[in-house]
Amino acid sequence: MPDASHPVPRQLDVLIVGGGLAGLYAIHRLRKLGLKVRAYEAGSGVGGTWFWNRYPGARCDVESLEYSYSFDAELQQDWKWPERYGTQPEILKYINHVADRFDLRRDVQLDTRITSAAFDGKANEWTVTTDGGEEIRARYCVMAAGNLSTPRVPDFKGLKDFKGKWYHSGLWPHEGVDFSGLKVGVIGTGSSGVQMIPIIAQQARHLTVFQRTANFSLPARNTPMPEEKERKHKAEYPQRRAAAMETPFAIAGHDKPTRSALDVDKAERDASYEAKWQEGGSISYLYAYTDLLVNKASNDTASEFVRNKIRATVKDRKTAELLAPKDHPIGTKRLCLDTDYYETYNRPNVSLVDVRSDAIESITETGLKLGSGAAFDLDAIVFATGFDAMTGALNEIDIRTTDGEALRQHWEGGPLTYLGVMIAGFPNMFVVTGPGSPGVKTQMIASIEQHVDWIADAIDHLHRHQLDRIEPTAKAESEWVEHVNRVADSTLYPLANSWYMGANIPGKPRVFMPYVGGFDRYKKHCDAVAAKGYEGFTLSRHETVAI
Ligand code: NAP
């Protein structure tokens, strides 16, 4: 008999972790199968990445007409994107619109963090607990917790003594921050830093940028949405969405390259890089030639072109050389898109400090100190220092199999998955765009839809065959991991110390996590696996024990 201190656990068909773009689409798609679903979201609103990352200048680097859901034809016709690239507030508004339009909110529990999930083999279900002490049971779990959702502030000593204010890009205050008249330090020059630096520079009395590794950045060339472009794109939406499925980045509208960068002479090559530089956007640039991400000599030509642009823009020679990346081929770390990033270093109130040659030693009461003893007085510090990417969100949850093995143990040497969507030994738990899938290397919403559709089809397949359990074999998992590594090793990606490799987190295993064989190849493979009766998975029926 239940009592108030031991309430009956909520019983679900599918528990979803996360109320971002993936969690919301999962609710919509799985509901259509008649399943009882509920998403649990740590934030006080839906939106995931776009709920948390409110730093100045936050904007998507994929064009807004592409970076949007494709599952509903009317939605994509109705929504008006005001600019070429969506700003964070605009994308969050869109996500909230979707939540209302498809009545998704009633199945989202906000302000709730999932803390553990344990599979009970006898009952054939997951027992999941929340930070509020609630217990939920579910036949299936869909982990839609995001790849860049675990913000990381480096473990600098002294941070607690800092008398000013500090912020992380991924945990930005909702009320915004006014840096007017302040001495500000930004640590980190990845996509987040590159977007916020030009805007903070306009407000701050002085901005000091602490750079460890220079990143390549291309001009976004954002504009208000041209009416004709929108009209044409919307008229062609079905064909464009279908065409995106046939590309490596799940983004349509770029002519497929046909030649190696080394097949043409320097003048022709530079003319094509210049055209792409003027056009703006990163996909277009990396798609200039067939081999920019697999042939170092080809890549050198594209890298040097951008380095020369930096040298031509930044007036101080020493600063320009520091900003010109030389330690990795262009595109092997996430390529940044910016508005006036390099120009910002010509402002008299901005300085660049190289913390590669002289590392940050500590945060002090009044600022920060480098190993050499050089000290900087700061009123505010912004950490644009990134995330525990791809594995952080799942490793924060205590996930255990029926025999007690923890996911953290299973992933001790790096993440192991089959297709990036399931894990051997963890039945009925799906991961959306997990490590081993191309998600983070693509137009993320397309990858989310592809995964959620695949997961929904798998669950539907089980039900239609009176089955209720699916898990990958250990063999399929290890062969997939080997394949992911082999593909990565055939490219230039492993040459960069990136978050794709776990390199930004001290002690994290250095394993290349995303699948870089291309979205098109990957989707075909996933479809073939399903068509062959879920090859590499064990599907079964379990007599469930009444609870
Ligand atoms: P990030 O790319 O991981 O960059 C973190 C930066 O902090 C790097 O410059 C890193 O230097 C530096 N850093 C970390 N620890 C440091 C330390 N102890 N001392 C000095 N510097 C340190 O993180 P992010 O910029 O937040 O971007 C993460 C990803 O989110 C992006 O790659 C992208 O996929 C996504 N994102 C997208 C957009 C967009 O769509 N426009 C915007 C923001 C983010 P090292 O390189 O030397 O490690």
Side-chain angles (χ1 to χ4, degrees):
M1 197 55 190
D3 61 41
S5 58
H6 293 93
V8 178
R10 188 190 285 271
Q11 192 80 40
L12 299 172
D13 294 318
V14 188
L15 182 144
I16 300 162
V17 181
L21 286 157
L24 291 177
Y25 180 54
I27 297 174
H28 178 69
R29 184 66 173 75
L30 294 166
R31 260 189 201 162
K32 284 192 169 167
L33 296 178
L35 299 172
K36 191 169 176 202
V37 302
R38 190 169 176 82
Y40 292 81
E41 165 56 50
S44 57
V46 297
T49 285
W50 301 106
F51 175 84
W52 296 103
N53 287 267
R54 296 166 187 250
Y55 59 84
R59 189 187 277 283
C60 187
D61 54 8
V62 175
E63 293 195 35
S64 49
L65 285 160
E66 292 280 331
Y67 187 82
S68 48
Y69 286 120
S70 71
F71 70 84
D72 189 87
E74 283 178 15
L75 169 68
Q76 66 186 12
Q77 291 300 329
D78 291 352
W79 188 263
K80 275 191 85 63
W81 292 102
E83 293 177 78
R84 179 176 178 187
Y85 301 93
T87 59
Q88 175 272 330
E90 190 60 34
I91 298 170
L92 188 59
K93 194 166 124 194
Y94 168 76
I95 298 171
N96 275 285
H97 169 79
V98 171
D100 291 330
R101 184 172 178 134
F102 298 95
D103 187 23
L104 306 177
R105 286 186 206 279
R106 66 183 157 89
D107 285 325
V108 183
Q109 184 165 321
L110 299 173
D111 297 308
T112 306
R113 198 172 275 281
I114 298 300
T115 51
S116 73
F119 188 69
D120 176 344
K122 280 210 186 90
N124 192 38
E125 64 182 11
W126 285 90
T127 303
V128 178
T129 54
T130 72
D131 56 356
E134 191 186 346
E135 189 177 296
I136 307 118
R137 299 209 179 142
R139 169 70 23 92
Y140 305 100
C141 279
V142 172
M143 304 314 221
N147 282 298
L148 294 155
S149 50
T150 313
R152 178 185 164 267
V153 175
D155 200 10
F156 294 127
K157 62 179 186 230
L159 181 57
K160 65 178 181 350
D161 304 322
F162 181 55
K163 293 269 196 302
K165 294 236 167 84
W166 64 267
Y167 311 91
H168 187 284
S169 60
L171 293 168
W172 205 260
H174 287 204
E175 63 281 11
V177 181
D178 181 7
F179 291 108
S180 302
L182 301 182
K183 284 172 284 171
V184 184
V186 171
I187 304 174
T189 50
S191 303
S192 304
V194 160
Q195 286 188 329
M196 69 172 75
I197 283 164
I199 296 181
I200 296 178
Q202 289 166 22
Q203 298 175 3
R205 172 141 66 97
H206 192 88
L207 170 64
T208 311
V209 177
F210 298 92
Q211 172 188 275
R212 187 165 66 184
T213 311
N215 252 319
F216 287 99
S217 186
L218 303 179
R221 309 230 184 267
N222 185 45
T223 56
M225 180 66 71
E227 233 171 81
E228 178 52 21
K229 178 181 165 116
E230 181 187 5
R231 195 200 55 71
K232 191 162 179 298
H233 200 111
K234 285 188 171 175
E236 295 168 353
Y237 247 140
Q239 301 91 297
R240 279 179 169 267
R241 297 293 194 188
M245 301 290 102
E246 301 299 325
T247 69
F249 305 108
I251 299 177
H254 301 286
D255 292 337
K256 204 170 173 173
T258 52
R259 289 184 299 177
S260 157
L262 304 180
D263 284 347
V264 296
D265 64 22
K266 185 173 183 317
E268 183 177 344
R269 229 173 15 230
D270 283 354
S272 79
Y273 293 145
E274 180 65 33
K276 308 244 171 214
W277 177 269
Q278 294 306 332
E279 178 189 337
S282 54
I283 298 300
S284 161
Y285 194 82
L286 293 176
Y287 227 36
Y289 294 102
T290 52
D291 55 352
L292 294 183
L293 292 170
V294 294
N295 180 336
K296 177 76 169 53
S298 294
N299 186 290
D300 284 345
T301 65
S303 296
E304 188 60 11
F305 180 87
V306 176
R307 281 192 288 265
N308 284 335
K309 285 286 184 189
I310 299 168
R311 290 172 184 129
T313 308
V314 180
K315 293 190 180 125
D316 179 71
R317 290 248 335 245
K318 189 162 162 256
T319 306
E321 277 316 310
L322 269 179
L323 287 166
K326 292 163 198 108
D327 76 325
H328 65 280
I330 191 167
T332 55
K333 285 182 98 149
R334 172 72 170 222
L335 195 45
C336 304
L337 275 199
D338 73 271
T339 301
D340 295 338
Y341 176 63
Y342 295 115
E343 289 81 352
T344 296
Y345 290 92
N346 293 333
R347 293 177 64 104
N349 70 331
V350 175
S351 43
L352 180 68
V353 174
D354 174 24
V355 295
R356 163 79 57 205
S357 59
D358 190 0
I360 298 171
E361 195 264 339
S362 61
I363 308 290
T364 64
E365 282 189 14
T366 54
L368 68 74
K369 205 164 87 184
L370 307 184
S372 64
F376 296 83
D377 258 359
L378 300 169
D379 302 310
I381 300 177
V382 179
F383 293 96
T385 45
F387 301 84
D388 185 353
M390 305 202 73
T391 52
L394 292 195
N395 277 338
E396 279 202 339
I397 305 171
D398 185 14
I399 300 173
R400 289 182 186 267
T401 66
T402 198
D403 62 9
E405 192 201 6
L407 182 65
R408 288 172 197 145
Q409 262 168 284
H410 190 67
W411 281 6
E412 219 165 26
L416 308 173
T417 69
Y418 179 38
L419 305 177
V421 78
M422 288 200 90
I423 301 155
F426 295 79
N428 291 357
M429 185 181 87
F430 300 94
V431 185
V432 183
T433 66
S437 80
V440 294
K441 295 296 308 157
T442 66
Q443 195 276 85
M444 203 64 211
I445 305 180
S447 282
I448 284 170
E449 290 183 325
Q450 185 255 335
H451 259 191
V452 171
D453 288 344
W454 192 93
I455 292 165
D457 288 346
I459 294 176
D460 190 38
H461 176 93
L462 290 176
H463 291 183
R464 281 188 288 106
H465 293 82
Q466 284 79 48
L467 303 170
D468 56 13
R469 190 187 288 192
I470 178 169
E471 71 177 296
T473 64
K475 180 170 177 282
E477 182 179 84
S478 64
E479 284 174 1
W480 180 252
V481 171
E482 207 188 303
H483 174 66
V484 169
N485 284 316
R486 226 182 12 252
V487 173
D489 287 341
S490 69
T491 71
L492 302 177
Y493 283 104
L495 297 182
N497 287 321
S498 64
W499 60 255
Y500 300 142
M501 281 281 240
N504 62 324
I505 304 289
K508 191 165 170 171
R510 297 274 178 124
V511 176
F512 194 84
M513 296 185 280
Y515 174 69
V516 286
F519 177 89
D520 44 351
R521 263 170 73 187
Y522 172 79
K523 182 178 183 307
K524 285 190 180 78
H525 185 71
C526 290
D527 291 346
V529 163
K532 287 183 209 152
Y534 294 88
E535 190 179 47
F537 291 91
T538 305
L539 278 51
S540 55
R541 174 166 180 79
H542 284 257
E543 291 307 322
T544 52
V545 177
I547 301 160

